Amino acid sequence: MIEDLPALVAAAVSAVATAATTDELRTLEQTHLGKEAAVLQARKQLGDLPKEDRKDAGRAINEAREQIEAAVEQRRTELASSERAAQFDSERLDLSEVVVGERPVGHRHIVTQAWEELEDVFIGMGFRVAEGPQVETDWHNFDALNIPPGHPARDGFDTIYVDHGESGSTLLRTHTSPVQIRTMLAQEPPIHVIAPGRVFRRDTADATHMPVFHQIEGLVIDRNISLADLAGTIEAFTTAYFGSGFSSRLRPNHFPFTEPSAEFDIQRPDGSWLELGGCGMVHPHVLRAGGVDPEEWSAFAFGFGIDRLALMKFGVDDLRELFTNDIRFLSQF
Ligand code: PHE
């Protein structure tokens, strides 16, 4: 039996090395190292040996056991890592998976499309995009734009006030014109900016009014800017955005922040007119509020709604449709 040990070890080691799973390995471990294992049974026979041989035989048995134990450990480590790898593989989530065939793809909202097209046209004309906050101070939205407290023009804006600071000091901007002031205060002239953005008025929603809508503001400050520059810019924008069959006109109007002021209309190829927005030469009070010297610089500004352009372009007849989030409506565009 002592002389059988090398063969026992060899058989055990090769069996262990081919164990395919940790369960199988556990069974083999029981067979080759458990109480009934031949290697351990050999121990019982030590007593039959001559005394002087027992020590060597005992050491041989221990070494045989250790060799088998080492083989089991090695195989256990191998199996554990390959089983973990297999588990990772089976539980892996492929987040980059591409669904082949029908695949729903979203698109930008039609107001966003109009907004971005307007930006593109104005950027092409040399304007840069400016921004301002939607929650605005009473000063930026009104006072600095030559609309002091008590001025009748304030009523026309149906302002939504925010409960913050002194009563009446904070509001949701009623137009994008406060961005004129913020831009003047932030940078030196010459200035050529547009400011698209969301604006708010206390209005009941109907086909042509929403309490939340979008405007785009334009501001040009330079030396010797005249009304002719304003009219030329509106005309250039009209053909660039709507097409060569369209033209524009200015009609006298009144805004506290421009002098003179005008309304501007677009003429469609069929001859009909579309009222688009307001414009004018920036009032000296407004330039001063923005820290710009009206003796040195002159300026024009314009502002108009974006939502109505989106409706027109896509043939939608009710502003409320823009907010319904009805996928059947939205997916048409
Ligand atoms: N802010 C004005 C409005 O909302 C539009 C406007 C902008 C008019 C700039 C003149 C100059 O009605």
Side-chain angles (χ1 to χ4, degrees):
M1 57 99 224
I2 298 291
E3 46 289 359
D4 294 340
L5 283 174
L8 285 174
V9 170
V13 167
S14 77
V16 161
T18 56
T21 63
T22 43
D23 279 346
E24 201 178 300
L25 182 64
R26 207 169 297 125
T27 309
L28 287 167
E29 188 180 16
Q30 190 60 35
T31 310
H32 295 286
L33 292 168
K35 280 205 188 74
E36 305 301 318
V39 179
L40 289 135
Q41 290 296 318
R43 222 176 259 216
K44 290 183 180 158
Q45 294 162 16
L46 284 175
D48 303 336
L49 291 178
K51 231 182 175 159
E52 63 275 18
D53 291 342
R54 282 185 206 158
K55 210 171 154 198
D56 284 346
R59 187 183 299 126
I61 291 169
N62 281 341
E63 278 172 11
R65 203 195 65 225
E66 281 165 18
Q67 283 170 14
I68 299 170
E69 278 172 358
V72 169
E73 256 345 285
Q74 187 191 333
R75 188 63 187 150
R76 179 170 294 146
T77 311
E78 289 168 7
L79 288 174
S81 76
S82 67
E83 282 172 10
R84 205 178 313 119
Q87 186 187 357
F88 279 159
D89 255 5
S90 72
E91 292 178 358
R92 186 165 159 248
L93 290 179
D94 183 358
L95 299 176
S96 65
E97 189 175 27
V98 171
V99 180
V100 181
E102 277 273 310
R103 185 154 54 106
V105 176
H107 63 76
R108 291 164 305 149
H109 191 276
I110 61 175
V111 171
T112 310
Q113 292 180 37
W115 173 323
E116 290 180 356
E117 267 173 48
L118 289 166
E119 278 187 357
D120 284 349
V121 167
F122 281 115
I123 287 169
M125 292 168 67
F127 287 80
R128 300 177 66 162
V129 179
E131 279 180 290
Q134 293 175 19
V135 178
E136 206 22 302
T137 69
D138 173 60
W139 185 81
H140 288 89
N141 195 85
F142 290 128
D143 300 60
L145 290 165
N146 202 28
I147 315 174
H151 191 290
R154 286 208 180 200
D155 300 337
F157 279 106
D158 295 311
T159 312
I160 297 171
Y161 286 91
V162 174
D163 189 6
H164 179 264
E166 220 171 282
S167 167
S169 65
T170 313
L171 45 79
L172 299 184
R173 66 179 178 195
T174 59
H175 51 176
T176 44
S177 299
V179 186
Q180 288 188 35
I181 304 299
R182 290 190 174 271
T183 306
M184 289 182 216
L185 292 173
Q187 62 198 67
E188 295 294 318
I191 289 172
H192 305 80
V193 294
I194 49 150
R198 191 167 289 161
V199 300
F200 308 82
R201 288 186 201 176
R202 205 146 34 79
D203 246 331
T204 306
D206 64 24
T208 54
H209 297 86
M210 285 302 282
V212 180
F213 56 105
H214 304 83
Q215 284 188 334
I216 185 164
E217 191 85 7
L219 173 68
V220 170
I221 307 181
D222 214 325
R223 291 193 163 87
N224 305 315
I225 290 288
S226 72
L227 199 61
D229 296 306
L230 168 60
T233 301
I234 300 274
E235 182 67 16
F237 157 74
T238 301
T239 49
Y241 182 77
F242 293 95
S244 55
F246 290 75
S247 60
S248 63
R249 74 173 174 203
L250 304 190
R251 269 183 300 117
N253 201 334
H254 178 263
F255 296 102
F257 30 91
T258 44
E259 178 58 41
S261 301
E263 200 89 60
F264 65 95
D265 307 328
I266 305 299
Q267 188 171 34
R268 303 188 182 93
D270 69 2
S272 64
W273 291 94
L274 167 75
E275 202 179 296
L276 202 60
C279 62
M281 301 306 293
V282 178
H283 197 289
H285 288 178
V286 175
L287 290 175
R288 265 189 221 105
V292 172
D293 180 359
E295 300 300 326
E296 186 179 356
W297 304 97
S298 48
F300 68 74
F302 56 85
F304 56 92
I306 298 178
D307 308 72
R308 212 137 48 92
L309 290 184
L311 294 193
M312 227 177 70
K313 172 148 190 184
F314 293 98
V316 180
D317 53 15
D318 191 324
L319 263 180
R320 289 168 292 190
E321 298 275 24
L322 299 178
F323 292 85
T324 51
N325 281 345
D326 185 332
I327 196 71
R328 291 166 302 180
F329 170 75
L330 293 169
S331 58
Q332 298 174 86
F333 309 107

